[in-house]
Amino acid sequence: SQQGEEDPQALSIQEGENATMNCSYKTSINNLQWYRQNSGRGLVHLILIRSNEREKHSGRLRVTLDTSKKSSSLLITASRAADTASYFCATPPSTGTASKLTFGTGTRLQVTL
Amino acid sequence: EPEVTQTPSHQVTQMGQEVILRCVPISNHLYFYWYRQILGQKVEFLVSFYNNEISEKSEIFDDQFSVERPDGSNFTLKIRSTKLEDSAMYFCASSDPLGLYYGYTFGSGTRLTVV
């Protein structure tokens, strides 16, 4: 598998439900980031979790990181129609300096009323 | 909230023509990047730029591509002779000195269509 692969590829839920997306990566990381992309638009940074953190919250978002399994999950609670977007995990190299992000393939989330 | 600004939002060009995509990164960021996303595919890294020089580039970033920071605010990507396969969404991004604390801020992209 490639660095940063999300599953599922697509997820359809009803408004109010929770959405969980998973990301797996291959190499060691310094941090892992989640981004949202609305159709045809730019990438919006959602949350960053460092390798020494196991869980992080931001509003309705909850991110977990398991470095032993090289995996992360993004939970969106009480989803809204406006959450409809693609969600990507991304990892920079573990060298400690800013450099390229490697993006996953993304999860397309559809939230219906 | 500070933004990364990209212009134009959409550019159509003929194959073989030169295009320049422009970006204004966040003013106190020191690292700048270009990424691209071909329709329906992953976001791919092109190049990173720091201290007025390229710090890393991907295999996509061949001799047809160049980047420049002509003044203190703009960051440009030039494609010298566009090909059909250069059609994609191009994103500029910038980050804080280590890129570790706040993630990367992306612009809203330039959709390049080569005909």
Side-chain angles (χ1 to χ4, degrees), chain B residues 72-86:
Chain B
S73 60
N74 291 288
F75 180 51
T76 62
L77 174 69
K78 183 193 292 186
I79 309 175
R80 266 180 266 284
S81 177
T82 50
K83 309 184 194 83
L84 294 177
E85 54 265 37
D86 293 328

Side-chain angles (χ1 to χ4, degrees), chain A residues 64-97:
Chain A
T64 62
L65 180 64
D66 187 334
T67 53
S68 67
K69 294 181 180 176
K70 290 187 168 56
S71 68
S72 173
S73 67
L74 171 68
L75 168 68
I76 303 174
T77 59
S79 63
R80 305 167 182 166
D83 295 328
T84 294
S86 290
Y87 292 82
F88 298 88
C89 67
T91 54
S94 60
T95 57
T97 59

Side-chain angles (χ1 to χ4, degrees), chain A residues 10-109:
Chain A
L11 181 61
S12 183
I13 60 173
Q14 289 196 317
E15 203 171 48
E17 294 181 335
N18 295 341
T20 299
M21 289 158 266
N22 303 296
C23 166
S24 60
Y25 58 92
K26 290 176 70 178
T27 61
S28 61
I29 59 170
N30 198 307
N31 67 73
L32 186 143
Q33 303 171 29
W34 285 89
Y35 289 82
R36 183 186 73 226
Q37 184 182 35
N38 290 76
S39 180
R41 307 294 296 275
L43 295 150
V44 176
H45 177 257
L46 294 176
I47 195 165
L48 179 153
I49 186 165
R50 296 187 183 81
S51 58
N52 62 351
E53 298 176 309
R54 292 295 166 258
E55 189 172 308
K56 199 162 182 180
H57 297 254
S58 176
R60 293 184 296 113
L61 304 180
R62 174 179 165 249
V63 169
T64 62
L65 180 64
D66 187 334
T67 53
S68 67
K69 294 181 180 176
K70 290 187 168 56
S71 68
S72 173
S73 67
L74 171 68
L75 168 68
I76 303 174
T77 59
S79 63
R80 305 167 182 166
D83 295 328
T84 294
S86 290
Y87 292 82
F88 298 88
C89 67
T91 54
S94 60
T95 57
T97 59
S99 188
K100 68 177 185 181
L101 286 176
T102 300
F103 282 84
T105 49
T107 293
R108 290 189 313 279
L109 174 66

Side-chain angles (χ1 to χ4, degrees), chain A residues 2-4 30-31 33 35 37 40-45 48 50 88 92 96-105, chain B residues 31 33 35 37 42-43 45 48 56 89 91 95-109 111:
Chain A
Q2 297 179 40
Q3 181 81 346
N30 198 307
N31 67 73
Q33 303 171 29
Y35 289 82
Q37 184 182 35
R41 307 294 296 275
L43 295 150
V44 176
H45 177 257
L48 179 153
R50 296 187 183 81
F88 298 88
T97 59
S99 188
K100 68 177 185 181
L101 286 176
T102 300
F103 282 84
T105 49
Chain B
Y31 289 83
Y33 314 84
Y35 289 78
Q37 185 181 33
K42 293 171 77 163
V43 177
F45 168 79
S48 59
E56 189 171 357
M89 194 80 160
F91 295 106
S95 72
D96 63 73
L98 291 179
L100 298 178
Y101 299 108
Y102 303 114
Y104 297 65
T105 303
F106 282 81
S108 53
R111 183 173 297 284

Side-chain angles (χ1 to χ4, degrees), chain B residues 15-75:
Chain B
M15 193 167 56
Q17 295 295 303
E18 175 184 286
V19 294
I20 297 176
L21 310 183
R22 301 179 194 281
C23 169
V24 179
I26 292 175
S27 59
N28 63 347
H29 283 180
L30 299 179
Y31 289 83
F32 314 114
Y33 314 84
W34 284 100
Y35 289 78
R36 79 171 185 190
Q37 185 181 33
I38 295 171
L39 187 63
Q41 297 187 23
K42 293 171 77 163
V43 177
E44 301 173 291
F45 168 79
L46 292 178
V47 65
S48 59
F49 192 86
Y50 170 70
N51 201 25
N52 287 319
E53 61 183 24
I54 291 173
S55 50
E56 189 171 357
K57 60 183 180 179
S58 71
E59 58 275 10
I60 302 169
F61 194 89
D62 60 22
D63 292 344
Q64 292 300 310
F65 291 87
S66 63
V67 289
E68 199 176 39
R69 189 159 162 81
D71 53 45
S73 60
N74 291 288
F75 180 51

